[in-house]
């Protein structure tokens, strides 16, 4: 027996002895062209060993056990696996192309489809685009890269949000699309996501979004985060950059000498003494923009990740840190975002698979008043350049409280110094799900997503005197708040997939979704902060009160229950049909209309697969597609169908006035869902050996039963009291129509040189079809100037939503004869004189009054374009992005119309006598009608922005692998390089933070976008 064991040990030892490790090597080439391929990943399966091919496509690996599987992979090519034997050490591999992404898997909601089978209008932004653009907010990556999508910033301050609009403005309420991250609804903001965690961003622009029912009216954005890959050794990555920021634009304001001379002229024309009898020694004075704008505001980003997997388990773990200071305010405009993520998948059995993905985000943001009348920018623009920053004692100077400077312009540097705000937020969100294979054709999926967001904020109002201004604070105070917001989603659905007779393919998805959100908030203010100091700014120490109610709170909850189904069919991959339906019920509507059903259908025809198409030498793939359906919208204030006691009233008890509560917003038990009917017709085409991809669409969207919250009602209804509001009613229709076009070209010129370019184009024609005519034919909103009662924006039938409504100018009066011959303009505030603006008498009644107002333009662009250029040459890579918006108008409202406020230098071309100017009116201290809202203040805000340029170099692997580094790439880049525009303001592409389309496009002083210079590194090991 012992001899038998000895023989077995000897045989085993002999086997292992012969299964020695071998050295392998060879060349990897493109299967089609035969050209060697550099940068191909060569990885031993289930092992940490691996390398990359060099510039000649060669590779080598040492000490590889015989029987090991080597996997060759490269983006855009199919993976090739090869088993090592002792007899085959020299492996020359040919990689086949992956059909130029026609087999790319697209996420479409509750499932996936191959790109060539998609019958809806879909845009996809890849991780590669995100890596190049280096956006702080992932939303920025959609600008110019996804056709049909408009992305506008609300300002350039750190942490500011972005507004996303898909195919126009559909409603006067919430217009942003819903964002779904790995199946979980996170709302309308991607600001808290780490862009480096994102694998793809998919935009559903037509009725593909109908499978999400009530939240799909404005489109759906599906975010897929990065996951680990099977049979892959742990891959560690570090991506980081550091840089500095400066303002991308300054306004050409008058210097001290120019200002003084202009003011002298203004006072002389008004018959008043000159304020600057001798302006010769003033020089340039204070450049307030130079004082508030930093020239090297730092930004630093670090991102660490590790991912990999075995045959049964995959993992992806990451952590990131972003720190940014604003170009205004320094530490008063600080932003910090930390995030950590872990994603795990496990195949517990051949039938059961578990998935989880959890993200934690910490946010710290310090802010100041950075938008609107009274903001730091507003004061920097309007404070005279003759004013010093500090006086002889080193104290901040006071802007005079005079009729010429009013009571709202203050020293912007003093304003910054006296601003104290802090905001902290912590968010934990995640999903956990399972897939259970009931049979080879049927899979059950269950997934739960949850979110918890806790925030706290503190604002300290320091006791300060600005010289009799509205911003004077006579008692110090501190205001603090805490909020808690929660939500969860539970999805359960069955997916049936089967092929019949090798020709018929069918996929059915049927399920249910439960959604709930709830939260609360608490607010309090304390007065008389000890030592008038931020150090002691806490309500536990500030014991003073206002004499009234200094605390407040709120609580909310909302629920939805949905059932959905989708059936997809294709015949031999040529004829494609998909039908969807979703039944939603929402607690935001009363019992009469709480339930709605939203159907839709898409279809496609792959013409290139027809026999009559033949073997085209130019067209490789051609598909026609179309869709039609209905989606819904319930994005209104909760409980709008009932009256609530959240208003205010005064009552008399025993002859004494007592403050109490009353009904707030009036109820409407019959309000119902908004309905968006969407039509799309388009085609997808690949040409030139799949190097050129073209997508084109025509879309027509109509939204009916608009949920309008501010429609005027009779004052006897009680909506005009404190805290009161009009009821929410269904009272309007809006239509958006246009075309989309996308061209994407990628070509491998040689082994060393690859070139790519893309172009997107979107047109939008927006029109209001109906406004409730039982009470009014229009809605109005927005504001212009100070104290002007006529509102500048409207929603009116036959016009774009939110168009500008005011007086139409007709040049400048050159002499008194022209004034005498023109209808009276006294109703505008004063009789006209030579040098004043001449307004048109549009109704021909012989007088200029509010009845002569008309359409002055609108903030909705007619045409949006995006451009991208990229190439690689040996180890170098370059990419550049540009974005253009044409036809959008903007109102110049950042200039205070007071006589002594500073001005932009266009006033140097003012009227000073007959024939001197027909565009800019005279300056005077007298009353005029020149400052009423007119097209004099409406400008063409079309622009072309060079968004990004980046140059990188990847060091040859043979040098870095010695240190265990598989990839080392260094790069330099610039974001927001330059904006070409005729608009005079800081940012022609910004939108108002409140998101209201009625009043949008009125520039009260948008915080300019920062230009960012960065140096970074991508490191894999």
């Amino acid at each position: 027996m012992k001899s038998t064991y000895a023989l077995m040990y000897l045989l085993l030892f002999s086997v292992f002895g012969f299964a020695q490790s071998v050295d392998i090597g060879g060349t990897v080439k493109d299967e089609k062209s035969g050209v060697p391929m550099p940068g191909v990943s060569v990885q031993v399966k289930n092992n940490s060993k691996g390398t990359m091919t060099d510039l000649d496509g060669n590779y080598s690996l040492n000490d590889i056990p015989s029987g090991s599987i080597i996997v060759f992979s490269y983006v855009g090519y199919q993976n090739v696996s090869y088993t090592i034997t002792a007899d085959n050490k020299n492996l020359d591999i040919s990689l086949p192309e992956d059909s130029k992404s026609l087999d790319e898997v697209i996420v479409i909601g509750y499932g996936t489809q191959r790109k060539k089978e998609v019958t809806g209008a879909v845009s996809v932004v890849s991780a590669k685009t995100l890596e190049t653009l280096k956006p702080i907010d992932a939303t920025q990556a959609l600008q110019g890269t996804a056709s049909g999508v408009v992305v506008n910033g609300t300002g350039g301050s750190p942490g500011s949000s972005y507004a996303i609009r898909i195919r126009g403005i559909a409603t006067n309420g919430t217009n942003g699309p819903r964002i779904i991250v790995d199946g979980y609804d996170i709302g309308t903001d991607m600001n808290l996501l780490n862009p480096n965690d994102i694998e793809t961003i998919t935009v559903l622009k037509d009725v593909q979004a109908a499978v999400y029912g009530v939240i799909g009216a404005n489109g759906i954005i599906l975010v897929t985060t990065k996951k680990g890959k099977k049979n892959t050794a742990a891959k560690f990555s570090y991506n980081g950059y550091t840089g500095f920021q400066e303002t991308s634009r300054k306004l050409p304001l008058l210097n001290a000498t120019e200002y003084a001379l202009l003011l002298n002229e203004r006072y002389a024309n008004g018959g008043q003494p000159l304020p600057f009898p001798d302006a010769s020694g003033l020089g340039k004075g204070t450049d307030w923009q130079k004082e508030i704008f930093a020239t090297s505001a730092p930004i630093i980003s670090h991102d660490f990740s590790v991912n990999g997997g075995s045959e049964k388990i995959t993992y992806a773990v990451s952590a990131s840190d972003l720190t940014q200071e604003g170009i205004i305010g320094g530490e008063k405009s600080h932003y910090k975002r930390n995030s950590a993520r872990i994603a795990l998948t496990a195949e517990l059995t051949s039938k059961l698979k578990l998935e989880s993905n959890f993200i934690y985000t910490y946010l710290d943001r310090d802010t100041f008043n950075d938008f609107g009348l009274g903001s730091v920018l507003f004061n920097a623009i309007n404070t005279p350049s003759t004013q010093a920053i500090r006086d002889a004692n080193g104290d901040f100077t006071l802007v005079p409280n005079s009729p010429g400077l009013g009571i709202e312009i203050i020293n912007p540097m003093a304003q910054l110094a006296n601003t104290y705000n802090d905001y902290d937020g912590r968010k934990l969100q995640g999903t956990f799900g399972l897939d259970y294979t009931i049979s080879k054709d049927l899979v059950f999926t269950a997934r739960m997503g949850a979110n918890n967001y806790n925030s706290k904020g503190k604002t300290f109002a320091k006791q300060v005197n600005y010289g009799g201004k509205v911003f004077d604070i006579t008692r110090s105070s501190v205001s603090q708040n805490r909020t808690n917001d929660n939500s969860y989603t539970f999805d359960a659905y069955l997916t049936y997939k089967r092929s019949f007779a090798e020709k018929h393919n069918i996929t059915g998805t049927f399920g249910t979704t439960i959604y709930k959100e709830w939260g609360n908030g608490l607010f309090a203010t304390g007065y008389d902060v000890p030592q008038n100091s931020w150090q002691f700014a806490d309500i536990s120490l500030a014991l003073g009160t206002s004499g009234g109610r200094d605390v407040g709170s709120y609580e909310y909850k909302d629920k939805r229950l949905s059932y959905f189904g989708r059936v997809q069919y294709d015949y031999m991959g040529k004829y494609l049909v998909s039908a969807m339906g979703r039944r939603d019920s929402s607690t935001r509507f009363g019992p009469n209309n709480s339930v709605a059903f939203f159907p839709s259908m898409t279809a496609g025809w792959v013409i290139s697969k027809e026999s009559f198409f033949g073997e085209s030498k130019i067209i490789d793939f051609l598909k026609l597609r179309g869709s039609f359906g209905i989606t819904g919208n319930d994005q209104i204030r909760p409980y709008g169908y009932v009256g609530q006691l959240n208003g205010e009233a005064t009552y008399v008890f025993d002859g004494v006035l007592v403050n109490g509560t009353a009904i707030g917003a009036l109820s409407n038990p019959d309000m119902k869902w908004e309905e968006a009917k969407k039509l799309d017709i388009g085609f997808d085409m690949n040409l030139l050996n799949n190097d050129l991809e073209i997508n084109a669409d025509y879309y027509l969207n109509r939204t009916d039963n608009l949920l309008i919250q501010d429609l005027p009602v009779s004052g006897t209804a009680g909506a005009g009291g404190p805290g009161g509001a009009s009821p929410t009613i269904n009272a309007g229709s809006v239509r958006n129509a246009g075309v989309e076009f996308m061209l994407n070209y990628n070509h491998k010129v040689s082994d060393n040189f690859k070139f790519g370019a893309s172009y997107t184009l979107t047109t939008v024609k927006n029109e209001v079809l109906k406004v409730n005519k039982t009470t009014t034919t229009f809605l109005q909103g927005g504001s212009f100037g100070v104290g002007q009662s006529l509102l500048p924006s409207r929603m009116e039938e036959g016009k774009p939503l939110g168009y500008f409504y005011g007086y139409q100018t007709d040049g400048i009066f050159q002499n008194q004869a022209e004034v005498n011959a023109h209808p009276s303009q006294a109703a505008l505030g004063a009789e006209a004189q030579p040098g004043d603006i001449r307004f048109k008498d549009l109704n021909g009644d012989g007088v200029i009054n509010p009845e002569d107002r008309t359409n002055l333009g609108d903030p909705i662009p007619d045409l949006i374009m995006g451009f991208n250029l990229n190439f690689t040459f040996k180890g170098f890579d370059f990419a550049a992005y540009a974005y253009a918006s044409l036809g959008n108008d903007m109102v110049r409202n950042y200039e205070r119309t007071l006589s002594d406020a500073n001005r932009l230098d266009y006033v140097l071309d003012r009227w000073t006598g007959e024939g001197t100017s027909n565009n800019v009116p005279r300056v005077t201290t007298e009353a005029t009608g020149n400052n009423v809202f007119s097209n004099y203040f409406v400008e063409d805000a079309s622009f072309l922005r060079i968004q990004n340029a980046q140059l990188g170099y990847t060091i040859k692997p043979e040098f870095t692998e010695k240190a265990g580094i598989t990839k080392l790439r260094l790069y330099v880049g610039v974001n927001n390089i330059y904006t070409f525009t005729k608009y005079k303001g800081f940012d022609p592409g910004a939108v108002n933070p409140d998101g209201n389309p009625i009043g949008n496009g009125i520039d009260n002083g948008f915080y300019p976008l920062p230009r960012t210079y960065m140096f970074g590194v991508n490191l894999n090991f």
Side-chain angles (χ1 to χ4, degrees):
M1 181 63 69
K2 291 182 178 180
S3 62
T4 301
Y5 284 143
L7 179 60
M8 292 176 62
Y9 285 132
L10 179 62
L11 289 172
L12 288 172
F13 179 81
S14 300
V15 169
F16 285 113
F18 282 107
Q20 294 295 317
S21 298
V22 297
D23 298 336
I24 65 170
T27 304
V28 180
K29 299 180 179 181
D30 182 292
E31 184 181 65
K32 182 185 294 185
S33 65
V35 175
M37 297 177 60
V40 175
S41 172
V42 184
Q43 184 71 43
V44 182
K45 191 173 182 178
N46 297 325
N47 194 292
S48 61
K49 282 194 174 183
T51 187
M52 298 178 72
T53 57
D54 61 20
L55 294 177
D56 298 318
N58 298 322
Y59 73 95
S60 63
L61 286 171
N62 299 325
D63 298 325
I64 306 301
S66 180
S68 297
I69 298 175
I70 308 298
V71 180
F72 300 83
S73 61
Y74 192 79
V75 175
Y77 289 78
Q78 299 177 20
N79 291 354
V80 171
S81 300
Y82 201 93
T83 302
I84 299 301
T85 65
D87 298 328
N88 197 345
K89 302 178 182 179
N90 298 317
L91 295 179
D92 292 334
I93 301 297
S94 295
L95 288 186
E97 289 189 9
D98 198 13
S99 301
K100 288 292 181 182
S101 301
L102 285 177
D103 289 319
E104 175 187 350
V105 175
I106 304 294
V107 179
I108 58 171
Y110 304 106
T112 59
Q113 273 187 307
R114 288 185 298 176
K115 186 175 182 179
K116 62 185 178 183
E117 298 170 346
V118 172
T119 51
V122 176
S123 292
V124 180
V125 175
S126 68
K128 183 179 180 180
T129 300
L130 289 161
E131 182 179 334
T132 301
L133 289 173
K134 291 291 182 296
I136 294 173
D137 186 329
T139 306
Q140 296 169 267
L142 296 171
Q143 191 175 59
T145 60
S147 62
V149 181
V150 179
V151 176
N152 297 103
T154 58
S157 62
S160 59
S161 61
Y162 286 82
I164 311 173
R165 302 291 182 262
I166 297 176
R167 293 181 167 180
I169 306 294
T171 175
N172 65 326
T174 301
N175 277 279
R178 299 293 283 203
I179 299 167
I180 312 294
V181 178
D182 294 326
Y184 175 64
D185 180 2
I186 67 167
T188 60
D189 190 358
M190 284 194 281
N191 190 33
L192 294 182
L193 290 177
N194 174 17
N196 288 315
D197 286 336
I198 296 175
E199 185 69 34
T200 60
I201 301 175
T202 304
V203 185
L204 307 183
K205 298 178 287 187
D206 64 350
V207 295
Q208 287 273 27
V211 73
Y212 288 100
V214 66
I215 63 174
N218 299 320
I220 294 290
I221 294 179
L222 303 173
V223 177
T224 303
T225 58
K226 295 176 180 178
K227 307 291 192 301
K229 296 181 179 180
K230 283 186 175 184
N231 302 310
T232 304
K235 176 184 175 182
F236 295 86
S237 298
Y238 168 75
N239 297 289
Y241 64 84
T242 183
F244 63 91
Q245 309 159 94
E246 63 181 14
T247 181
S248 57
R249 195 167 199 193
K250 289 183 178 180
L251 304 188
L253 296 171
L254 301 180
N255 63 36
T257 301
E258 293 169 333
Y259 168 81
L261 294 175
L262 183 76
L263 201 63
N264 283 345
E265 181 182 325
R266 184 187 298 273
Y267 273 63
N269 288 341
Q272 299 186 50
L274 302 185
F276 294 97
D278 182 9
S280 60
L282 293 175
K284 293 186 176 181
T286 302
D287 184 345
W288 290 104
Q289 292 182 102
K290 181 179 180 181
E291 296 301 325
I292 66 168
F293 284 129
T295 56
S296 57
I299 181 171
I300 302 173
S301 175
H302 302 286
D303 181 83
F304 301 89
S305 65
V306 57
N307 60 73
S310 63
E311 185 65 32
K312 299 293 184 180
I313 297 176
T314 66
Y315 57 89
V317 181
S318 68
S320 70
D321 174 81
L322 171 72
T323 303
Q324 180 186 16
E325 284 192 4
I327 55 175
I328 302 175
E331 294 183 353
K332 296 292 180 76
S333 183
H334 176 81
Y335 180 74
K336 186 177 185 65
R337 184 185 67 206
N338 299 136
S339 68
R341 186 178 75 96
I342 181 169
L344 298 172
T345 63
E347 294 184 7
L348 300 184
T349 70
S350 60
K351 292 189 173 184
L352 181 61
K353 177 182 177 181
L354 300 182
E355 291 187 349
S356 65
N357 184 24
F358 294 94
I359 304 173
Y360 172 78
T361 306
Y362 167 74
L363 177 69
D364 179 14
R365 187 183 183 197
D366 302 328
T367 62
F368 58 88
N369 185 354
D370 60 15
F371 174 78
L373 303 181
S375 70
V376 171
L377 267 176
F378 174 85
N379 288 312
I381 293 170
N382 290 282
T383 301
S385 49
T386 54
Q387 173 126 359
I389 301 171
R390 295 179 182 271
D391 60 22
N393 298 322
D395 299 322
F396 288 112
T397 59
L398 301 178
V399 177
N401 178 7
S402 64
L405 287 169
I407 59 173
E408 68 272 1
I409 300 176
I410 62 176
N411 185 325
M413 299 302 291
Q415 184 180 12
L416 275 174
N418 294 320
T419 296
Y420 302 90
N421 293 301
D422 183 56
Y423 175 87
D424 298 295
R426 290 172 172 82
K427 183 173 186 177
L428 178 62
Q429 65 185 54
T431 58
F432 179 81
L434 63 85
D435 293 330
Y436 182 75
T437 304
I438 300 173
S439 67
K440 67 175 183 177
D441 303 322
L442 186 63
V443 176
F444 170 73
T445 300
R447 180 174 56 235
M448 173 169 277
N451 163 73
N452 170 254
Y453 185 67
N454 289 282
S455 68
K456 62 178 182 178
K458 181 165 65 174
T459 300
F460 170 50
K462 184 178 181 180
Q463 181 179 345
V464 62
N465 176 29
Y466 290 111
K469 303 286 185 171
V470 294
F471 298 104
D472 289 354
I473 300 174
T474 58
R475 291 181 69 190
S476 63
S477 66
V478 57
S479 298
Q480 293 177 247
N481 66 79
R482 289 182 181 270
T483 63
N484 174 251
D485 300 294
N486 307 274
S487 64
Y488 75 78
T489 301
F490 177 73
D491 299 314
Y493 56 94
L494 290 166
T495 302
Y496 177 78
K497 190 171 186 178
R498 189 170 181 181
S499 298
F500 301 91
E502 298 183 354
K503 295 182 178 180
H504 307 275
N505 305 295
I506 188 169
T507 301
T509 305
F510 304 91
T512 183
T513 294
I514 300 171
Y515 176 81
K516 179 180 179 180
E517 62 178 350
W518 71 100
N520 55 72
L522 181 64
F523 308 84
T525 299
Y527 289 84
D528 305 325
V529 175
Q531 299 186 34
N532 195 30
S533 170
W534 170 250
Q535 182 180 356
F536 300 100
D538 192 273
I539 55 175
S540 64
L541 301 176
L543 304 180
T545 67
S546 66
R549 186 176 176 84
D550 298 326
V551 297
S553 66
Y554 70 84
E555 187 172 353
Y556 70 93
K557 63 179 178 180
D558 188 26
K559 297 178 183 178
R560 288 196 302 267
L561 173 62
S562 307
Y563 301 95
F564 61 89
R566 178 176 61 209
V567 177
Q568 299 160 282
Y569 169 79
D570 79 75
Y571 176 74
M572 298 181 64
K574 290 192 295 186
Y575 312 115
L576 316 166
V577 178
S578 177
M580 291 166 280
R582 179 155 173 151
R583 178 188 184 274
D584 282 312
S585 59
S586 172
T587 58
R588 296 200 174 191
F589 299 98
N592 298 343
N593 294 295
S594 63
V595 178
F597 179 73
F598 303 104
S600 63
M601 175 173 286
T602 67
W605 176 26
V606 183
I607 301 175
S608 55
K609 281 198 171 186
E610 296 287 358
S611 57
F612 65 76
F613 192 79
E615 293 292 331
S616 173
K617 294 183 179 180
I618 298 177
I619 301 176
D620 304 296
F621 177 80
L622 177 61
K623 176 179 66 181
L624 294 180
R625 49 182 169 75
S627 65
F628 178 77
I630 302 173
T631 58
N633 186 13
D634 71 343
Q635 299 305 295
I636 54 173
R637 58 180 173 232
Y639 317 116
Y641 63 93
V642 296
Q644 301 177 62
L645 292 175
N646 54 5
E648 300 176 17
T650 302
Y651 301 91
V652 179
F653 288 99
D654 297 328
V656 179
L657 292 176
V658 179
N659 293 326
T661 59
I663 294 177
L666 301 182
S667 64
N668 178 15
D670 295 321
M671 68 178 182
K672 56 185 178 181
W673 309 71
E674 284 186 358
E675 289 188 345
K677 300 179 179 68
K678 300 187 176 186
L679 170 70
D680 184 277
I681 300 173
F683 71 85
D684 304 321
M685 182 166 56
N686 285 19
L687 305 92
L688 307 177
N689 292 322
N690 291 305
D691 282 347
L692 178 63
E693 178 184 357
I694 299 175
N695 308 120
D697 289 86
Y698 167 78
Y699 66 89
L700 177 63
N701 300 339
R702 172 174 173 148
T703 305
D704 295 316
N705 300 321
L706 261 63
L707 290 162
I708 298 178
Q709 299 183 156
D710 301 311
L711 202 67
V713 297
S714 171
T716 61
S726 302
T728 300
I729 64 174
N730 299 98
S733 298
V734 174
R735 179 175 62 202
N736 290 278
V739 296
E740 295 175 6
F741 179 79
M742 190 279 290
L743 182 149
N744 188 39
Y745 180 76
N746 288 286
H747 183 63
K748 185 176 182 180
V749 180
S750 68
D751 181 43
N752 292 326
F753 183 64
K754 293 180 181 179
F755 171 81
S758 67
Y759 170 72
T760 62
L761 176 148
T762 304
T763 68
V764 180
K765 180 174 175 54
N766 176 275
E767 183 181 358
V768 176
L769 301 179
K770 184 176 66 174
V771 178
N772 190 335
K773 287 185 171 61
T774 60
T775 56
T776 182
T777 59
F778 61 87
L779 294 176
Q780 55 185 348
S783 63
F784 176 78
V786 176
Q788 295 199 25
S789 59
L790 298 178
L791 303 182
S793 295
R794 284 193 170 189
M795 174 184 177
E796 186 174 7
E797 183 176 324
K799 303 291 194 304
L801 179 56
Y803 80 98
F804 303 129
Y805 188 71
Y807 295 97
Q808 183 75 46
T809 63
D810 189 23
I812 304 294
F813 289 113
Q814 298 298 319
N815 51 54
Q816 189 61 42
E818 291 185 359
V819 174
N820 296 338
H822 192 70
S824 171
Q825 298 186 173
L828 307 185
E831 285 287 3
Q833 296 185 34
D836 287 338
I837 296 175
R838 176 168 48 206
F839 298 100
K840 291 184 178 181
D841 180 16
L842 295 181
N843 65 356
D845 64 355
V847 63
I848 308 298
N849 59 27
E851 301 303 317
D852 292 303
R853 291 178 295 160
T854 187
N855 182 2
L856 302 179
D858 64 87
I860 302 174
D862 301 319
L863 177 64
I864 302 149
M865 295 182 289
F867 312 88
N868 162 240
L869 174 69
N870 65 85
F871 67 81
T872 60
F873 178 71
K874 295 186 177 180
F876 290 95
D877 62 86
F878 174 81
Y881 287 78
Y883 177 76
S885 176
L886 304 178
N888 52 300
D889 299 307
M890 188 168 281
V891 175
R892 188 178 72 250
N893 193 38
Y894 46 80
E895 296 174 296
R896 189 67 173 93
T897 55
L898 293 167
S899 63
D900 291 12
N902 203 2
R903 292 286 186 273
L904 272 68
D905 65 1
Y906 70 86
V907 299
L908 298 178
D909 296 325
R910 67 203 174 279
W911 185 92
T912 57
E914 187 169 351
T916 55
S917 175
N918 202 38
N919 299 306
V920 183
R922 67 188 177 115
V923 294
T924 181
T925 57
E926 295 178 322
T928 72
N930 295 334
N931 294 322
V932 298
F933 181 59
S934 69
N935 65 310
Y936 176 68
F937 298 98
V938 179
E939 298 182 20
D940 178 8
S942 300
F943 66 91
L944 167 63
R945 176 170 292 148
I946 311 301
Q947 294 190 114
N948 169 277
Q950 187 180 119
L951 176 65
Y953 180 74
T954 302
I955 298 175
K956 294 180 180 180
E958 54 261 37
F959 295 119
T960 60
E961 285 179 350
K962 297 176 182 179
I965 298 173
T966 58
K967 178 183 178 181
L968 176 58
R969 175 178 176 267
L970 306 176
Y971 67 88
V972 292
V974 186
N975 288 348
N976 295 316
I977 298 174
Y978 191 79
T979 300
F980 298 91
T981 184
K982 294 181 180 179
Y983 180 63
K984 297 184 181 72
F986 283 111
D987 185 2
V991 296
N992 295 348
D994 62 11
N996 190 343
I998 306 177
N1000 190 31
I1002 298 176
D1003 184 357
N1004 295 318
F1006 289 116
Y1007 192 124
L1009 292 174
R1011 180 182 295 117
T1012 305
Y1013 304 87
M1014 61 181 68
F1015 170 77
V1017 59
N1018 305 131
L1019 180 66
N1020 295 343
F1021 52 94

